Amino acid sequence: AAHLKGVWKVSKVLDLTDKTETDPGNTHYIITEKHIMTVGGKEDRPVVENNFALMTYDEILSQLPAGGGFMEYEIQGGKIHRTTRFALSEYFEGKLIVTEFEVTKDTLVFRDDHHADGHLREWHMTRVE
């Protein structure tokens, strides 16, 4: 599990059910001893000169990440058992996700069924730090 700790940039997402590949945009996973945080958004978001309190509705929408979540996890039987404590979508909160993983020094792959559509997906990541 020590190899999991760090900051990881998602390089590609493979839908193994549909046999498709998607660009994850600017998505990162931050993994500590007991928590996983993920956040992702478009790389080409416009720069808005105001903070959120002063932005218009459209300006706020232009800045929002495409996804994000905060999870507690533990490794059981060689798999990550992660429970979502916060997510941009309320649908995922409280859900347990059992994830297969492969990790080397500089690469990480998560593989699990996605709650929303039941598709088996792989998230391929490269270590940032």
Side-chain angles (χ1 to χ4, degrees):
H3 291 326
L4 285 173
K5 288 193 270 184
V7 179
W8 300 89
K9 181 170 179 26
V10 182
S11 56
K12 65 182 173 182
V13 179
L14 301 177
D15 184 322
L16 302 177
T17 303
D18 276 353
K19 311 245 185 289
T20 57
E21 180 177 328
T22 56
D23 178 357
N26 191 19
T27 299
H28 288 78
Y29 279 73
I30 299 130
I31 303 175
T32 69
E33 185 73 33
K34 297 180 181 183
H35 296 91
I36 297 173
M37 187 175 84
T38 178
V39 65
K42 297 181 285 185
E43 292 179 342
D44 59 352
R45 292 178 298 149
V47 174
V48 177
E49 297 292 333
N50 292 321
N51 65 27
F52 278 110
L54 300 175
M55 287 182 191
T56 68
Y57 176 78
D58 287 336
E59 287 172 335
I60 290 171
L61 286 180
S62 78
Q63 299 301 299
L64 295 180
F70 183 74
M71 296 153 265
E72 295 172 338
Y73 82 94
E74 59 185 4
I75 296 177
Q76 297 179 12
K79 296 180 182 179
I80 297 171
H81 290 242
R82 51 190 170 131
T83 302
T84 304
R85 296 299 175 209
F86 171 81
L88 286 181
S89 171
E90 180 77 20
Y91 173 78
F92 292 100
E93 291 186 15
K95 298 245 191 267
L96 171 67
I97 303 168
V98 177
T99 303
E100 297 175 13
F101 69 98
E102 300 167 27
V103 64
T104 66
K105 183 180 173 205
D106 295 320
T107 63
L108 175 61
V109 177
F110 279 1
R111 183 180 311 105
D112 56 49
D113 293 323
H114 197 270
H115 282 297
D117 60 13
H119 288 209
L120 181 63
R121 285 190 174 77
E122 285 184 348
W123 287 261
H124 290 252
M125 300 174 235
T126 304
R127 184 181 295 281
V128 174
E129 59 180 65

